[in-house]
Amino acid sequence: MSAWHVYAVPVHGWAGSSRVWDFVRWPDDWTVLPYELPGHGTRRDDNPAGAQSPFTIPAAGEDLADFIRRNVPSGERVLLIGHSMGGQFTLHVHVHHPELVAGEVVIDPALGARQAEIDGQPAMLEALRADAYGTIESFIQGAFSAYTSQRVREAIVADIRRADPRALADYYQSEYMDPESFGNWDPAIAMMKRRTKPTFGIYTTPARADFERASGTEDVAIWSGGHGHFLFLEDPVRFADEVVSWAISRGLYENVGAELRLVPTTSASTRLS
């Protein structure tokens, strides 16, 4: 990625789609290439590993790397932006294909499960195998907050049934329960310590921020005050401004005018209506 031009590849989370990034306004001079996960949205019936194979984090991570190679000029590097499970894919590419990466932004990634959550994973997987849509529609309600507008809630819930239900269960298993999984605390920290490019973590609590710092990440922001898992949609102006400001601070972007253009003029907290 040239310092004067940014190629950004945002990656949505579990049961979502690339449409989620339509809520975010990026700088006009960025080339933004949203990636859609296999088994989700318009790629519901697309499994790079083969129609009869399970959907996995490693296979989709390699698909993301191929997406970058196909869509970004040779020699350029990208700013990866991953939300939730999307943070596992950006981490995979960061670690295994650092030549493609200029930096990484993670938004409350699906990493760092502690023992209480680990103990509940078999039951969660069983529920997903039995009724993926119903299980996630119930689960997702806990990810919303008072800042999540009705419009955003409806868009997130609508995406769930655009995904292949088998993919939703497969990805959960691949995130946390397969031998090569790195979603739980210890393997997550080990994987994150293998990063070599600037990384910016955005979290909702000090405890989650401390998890990111435990891997050696220096640049961490905490959105306190009750923000939920979809914080970047609860205040997309603030989110974009923080990402742009961080990119400037790390020498990944040079257009200060674009950063200033993103600063809200009416209030410090903007909600989607």
Side-chain angles (χ1 to χ4, degrees):
M1 181 176 66
S2 305
W4 52 87
H5 190 84
V6 173
Y7 292 90
V9 178
V11 184
H12 66 85
W14 189 46
S17 81
S18 59
R19 301 190 306 186
V20 73
W21 303 107
D22 292 346
F23 290 101
V24 181
R25 180 178 174 240
W26 305 101
D28 295 339
D29 56 350
W30 284 25
T31 298
V32 180
L33 303 164
Y35 170 77
E36 192 146 272
L37 291 170
H40 290 68
T42 61
R43 301 188 66 191
R44 176 191 175 103
D45 301 320
D46 181 8
N47 185 355
Q52 303 306 313
S53 298
F55 292 84
T56 69
I57 300 297
E62 290 304 304
D63 184 71
L64 172 57
D66 289 341
F67 173 85
I68 294 169
R69 294 187 188 100
R70 290 194 308 270
N71 291 281
V72 176
S74 178
E76 294 285 356
R77 294 173 297 155
V78 304
L79 176 61
L80 291 167
I81 302 171
H83 172 245
S84 193
M85 185 176 75
Q88 290 210 15
F89 299 105
T90 60
L91 179 57
H92 175 96
V93 172
H94 190 155
V95 168
H96 294 289
H97 304 282
E99 74 282 358
L100 300 176
V101 180
E104 181 185 6
V105 177
V106 290
I107 313 152
D108 202 17
L111 296 165
R114 301 308 296 261
Q115 193 59 51
E117 185 178 347
I118 293 171
D119 291 343
Q121 287 166 0
M124 180 64 167
L125 180 60
E126 182 178 358
L128 288 166
R129 295 293 185 199
D131 179 13
Y133 293 149
T135 299
I136 296 176
E137 285 169 347
S138 176
F139 175 82
I140 207 73
Q141 297 305 313
F144 298 146
S145 77
Y147 293 96
T148 317
S149 72
Q150 187 62 29
R151 179 186 172 204
V152 167
R153 291 172 191 244
E154 291 173 357
I156 291 168
V157 171
D159 267 340
I160 296 171
R161 290 181 181 261
R162 297 177 67 227
D164 179 342
R166 179 172 69 92
L168 299 174
D170 284 352
Y171 279 126
Y172 183 83
Q173 178 173 328
S174 184
E175 284 182 279
Y176 301 110
M177 302 175 69
D178 284 348
E180 70 273 19
S181 298
F182 54 88
N184 296 327
W185 184 279
D186 288 340
I189 292 292
M191 186 76 158
M192 293 158 68
K193 285 183 175 180
R194 296 170 63 188
R195 290 168 169 149
T196 56
K197 305 299 174 67
T199 301
F200 180 34
I202 306 175
Y203 290 88
T204 58
T205 67
R208 289 286 290 152
D210 286 344
F211 157 72
E212 182 70 51
R213 293 191 184 100
S215 72
T217 302
E218 297 179 357
D219 301 330
V220 181
I222 303 171
W223 284 33
S224 58
H227 281 284
H229 184 57
F230 293 91
L231 67 166
F232 70 107
L233 300 180
E234 295 173 350
D235 194 339
V237 174
R238 174 183 174 185
F239 165 70
D241 186 45
E242 289 193 3
V243 171
V244 168
S245 297
W246 173 78
I248 291 171
S249 75
R250 284 300 188 171
L252 304 178
Y253 183 47
E254 294 183 346
N255 189 345
V256 178
E259 175 203 7
L260 297 175
R261 189 171 59 245
L262 291 169
V263 175
T265 56
T266 55
S267 68
S269 180
T270 302
R271 299 185 188 183
L272 292 173
S273 59

